[in-house]
Amino acid sequence: MTMFGKSPGYEYQCLSQKDQLYSDTPGLFSSYAQFTHNHDQRGHSFDYVPKVSQNDFTDKSQGLLSWICNLIVTFLVFLVTFITCPISGWFVLKVVPNYERIVVFRLGRIRPPKGPGVVLVLPLIDQWQKVDLRTRAFNVPPCKVTTKDGGLVSVGADIQFRIWSPVMSVVAVQDLNASTRLTAHNAMMQNLSKKTLREIQTERIKLGEHLGMDMNEMTKPWGLEVDRVELILEGVLREPDGGHSGPLIMPPSVPGLEGLTGPIQQLAMHFLSQSQSQTAAPQCSQDTVSFADELRSVSAASVSSVDGLMDVVRSVLSEELVHQVGACYHFQITTDSGQTNNYYMDLTQGRGACGAGVLPGEPDVSLCMSEQDLLAMFQGVLRPFAAYSSGRLRVQGDLNTAMKLETLIKHLKTT
């Protein structure tokens, strides 16, 4: 019976973590032999067991006298167990579920893991420990990380992992959970400190995948595999050096687009917003004819300064435009010489107002950009959403309110 001893030709196989249909595809641990030969295993506690990483649990390091004593003690325990059977069966037979394995130390020496099913654990000479092979999860509490460009963010992570080698998880590390948490925290701090703030905000999925690969390099000798790492950005505590003082607000995620990367998701959101605005528009519109004085009218495409642009915007303000937008904007414009000028655009009451300076009240949205980008945006060369997605426009406040500038820009084109 195999449960009362090791059957001839016994060979312990690594637990399969992937579907057999994809066994030929490259993976983290698709080839156990490759892991054994390509990584230096010295310095770990399981090195004291000869060839344990090659699934060979035969210990040839003990002397002849130790081997004889081991054999005699094991035989006597087997004999006593057999004589006291079936009473001893209540103590020596263990039922192991399919998702668990038992790691046994017989007289202090490691044995092949047992299970699933009914296994025999000898009294007095066997010390055993259960190992759960199911996927576990834990979260790394939010911690402060200084980015490559001088910003400060609060980032946490949700991590899922599982054990693929029961023996290594018991022999190689004392506290598996605490060691994994500490490794995840240190790896996250080191990886994110090499990234800029915008990379952390727009490429969280890809950064999580890279963080999982780095963690696997450190946890492979423990018999542990990290399945998934999901970064959680709690907030921006400090802007990058030379950046806007307010927090950067990313577009909210769209259901069904969470798996896409940042730029692709933003592009999809842009087309979705366009389609929604088109469906929300009235189905029937009356044709209108507007007359303009070509001698007095000034186009936004002909201005070369922000002050001139404000004059053009002031000439097209109307109660209808205020009704459509209904927001107050504050602009922080950086010139080529590095000087920062403040402008306002109040479209909340009357016919609206705009000009240089800062309004006494709190604006609905604050925008920070260069003078060339502002002129290009109002001339129709640069779309507001494209400027925001590329990082040329920084927004403090509601993003949807900031995108209402499209209404004013379209109004400038038609006048």
Side-chain angles (χ1 to χ4, degrees):
M1 297 177 64
T2 57
M3 69 178 182
F4 290 99
K6 185 175 72 174
S7 60
Y10 176 87
E11 181 180 359
Y12 169 60
Q13 300 293 335
C14 289
L15 298 174
S16 177
Q17 303 296 322
K18 305 296 181 183
D19 196 342
Q20 296 297 330
L21 295 176
Y22 302 95
S23 59
D24 296 334
T25 59
L28 292 175
F29 306 117
S30 57
S31 176
Y32 189 73
Q34 180 180 2
F35 162 71
T36 303
H37 291 89
N38 293 344
H39 295 270
D40 190 1
Q41 305 286 326
R42 293 175 298 176
H44 300 290
S45 58
F46 55 81
D47 293 333
Y48 299 109
V49 182
K51 297 182 180 180
V52 66
S53 57
Q54 285 87 11
N55 302 320
D56 184 3
F57 293 87
T58 304
D59 191 356
K60 300 179 181 179
S61 61
Q62 60 179 337
L64 180 60
L65 181 60
S66 176
W67 181 79
I68 295 176
C69 293
N70 192 327
L71 186 61
I72 293 175
V73 173
T74 304
F75 174 76
L76 292 177
V77 174
F78 261 108
L79 183 61
V80 173
T81 303
F82 180 76
I83 294 175
T84 57
C85 185
I87 299 176
S88 61
W90 294 98
F91 304 98
V92 300
L93 295 180
K94 307 294 180 181
V95 178
V96 182
N98 200 34
Y99 55 84
E100 287 184 351
R101 298 294 184 272
I102 288 184
V103 179
V104 179
F105 293 87
R106 179 163 296 171
L107 295 175
R109 298 184 180 274
I110 190 69
R111 302 288 296 173
K114 298 183 179 182
V118 180
V119 299
L120 174 66
V121 179
L122 297 179
L124 303 178
I125 63 173
D126 281 355
Q127 296 178 352
W128 56 276
Q129 179 176 344
K130 284 186 178 181
V131 178
D132 197 330
L133 305 179
R134 291 174 292 184
T135 300
R136 313 179 195 179
F138 68 91
N139 67 310
V140 179
C143 54
K144 298 179 181 179
V145 180
T146 302
T147 60
K148 182 179 179 181
D149 52 359
L152 184 63
V153 295
S154 177
V155 185
D158 291 335
I159 299 177
Q160 297 179 1
F161 70 97
R162 56 183 171 177
I163 295 174
W164 62 275
S165 176
V167 175
M168 285 177 159
S169 66
V170 173
V171 181
V173 61
Q174 181 178 9
D175 192 337
L176 185 64
N177 292 328
S179 300
T180 306
R181 290 175 181 270
L182 182 61
T183 301
H185 179 272
N186 294 337
M188 185 181 69
M189 296 288 289
Q190 294 177 2
N191 279 268
L192 297 184
S193 62
K194 302 176 183 177
K195 304 297 180 181
T196 62
L197 175 60
R198 186 157 295 275
E199 289 176 342
I200 295 176
Q201 289 183 311
T202 59
E203 301 179 359
R204 285 186 297 169
I205 297 179
K206 186 170 73 172
L207 291 178
E209 294 176 353
H210 291 172
L211 180 59
M213 296 175 63
D214 293 341
M215 288 184 59
N216 276 306
E217 290 296 326
M218 293 180 281
T219 59
K220 275 189 290 186
W222 303 345
L224 182 146
E225 177 183 358
V226 177
D227 287 339
R228 181 183 179 185
V229 177
E230 182 178 356
L231 295 178
I232 301 176
L233 181 59
E234 296 291 334
V236 180
L237 305 181
R238 186 181 68 232
E239 290 294 323
D241 298 338
H244 189 52
S245 58
L248 293 177
I249 301 178
M250 294 300 297
S253 59
V254 177
L257 302 178
E258 295 85 352
L260 301 179
T261 57
I264 299 179
Q265 183 176 355
Q266 293 173 358
L267 184 61
M269 290 179 58
H270 177 52
F271 285 111
L272 286 176
S273 62
Q274 280 188 340
S275 61
Q276 292 175 358
S277 62
Q278 291 176 359
T279 56
Q283 297 295 331
C284 299
S285 60
Q286 298 179 355
D287 295 334
T288 58
V289 179
S290 60
F291 297 92
D293 188 354
E294 296 181 358
L295 298 178
R296 295 184 179 180
S297 63
V298 180
S299 173
S302 61
V303 298
S304 59
S305 65
V306 181
D307 294 330
L309 177 63
M310 290 299 167
D311 294 336
V312 175
V313 173
R314 191 179 299 110
S315 64
V316 299
L317 293 179
S318 62
E319 294 181 359
E320 180 183 359
L321 186 62
V322 170
H323 178 71
Q324 293 177 358
V325 178
C328 182
Y329 298 90
H330 171 234
F331 296 88
Q332 288 187 356
I333 307 303
T334 305
T335 61
D336 295 335
S337 60
Q339 183 179 0
T340 302
N341 298 326
N342 295 316
Y343 296 88
Y344 70 91
M345 191 175 298
D346 187 4
L347 302 177
T348 58
Q349 57 184 351
R351 294 177 55 88
C354 64
V358 180
L359 289 176
E362 185 72 18
D364 297 321
V365 180
S366 295
L367 308 175
C368 180
M369 61 192 313
S370 64
E371 183 178 9
Q372 292 80 6
D373 291 338
L374 179 66
L375 295 176
M377 188 172 66
F378 276 88
Q379 291 169 3
V381 179
L382 179 64
R383 300 289 298 273
F385 196 88
Y388 173 74
S389 301
S390 60
R392 299 163 69 176
L393 170 63
R394 292 189 174 93
V395 178
Q396 181 182 5
D398 185 33
L399 181 63
N400 295 327
T401 305
M403 294 300 108
K404 287 184 179 181
L405 286 175
E406 287 267 7
T407 305
L408 176 58
I409 296 173
K410 293 179 180 179
H411 195 70
L412 285 174
K413 293 180 181 180
T414 58
T415 56

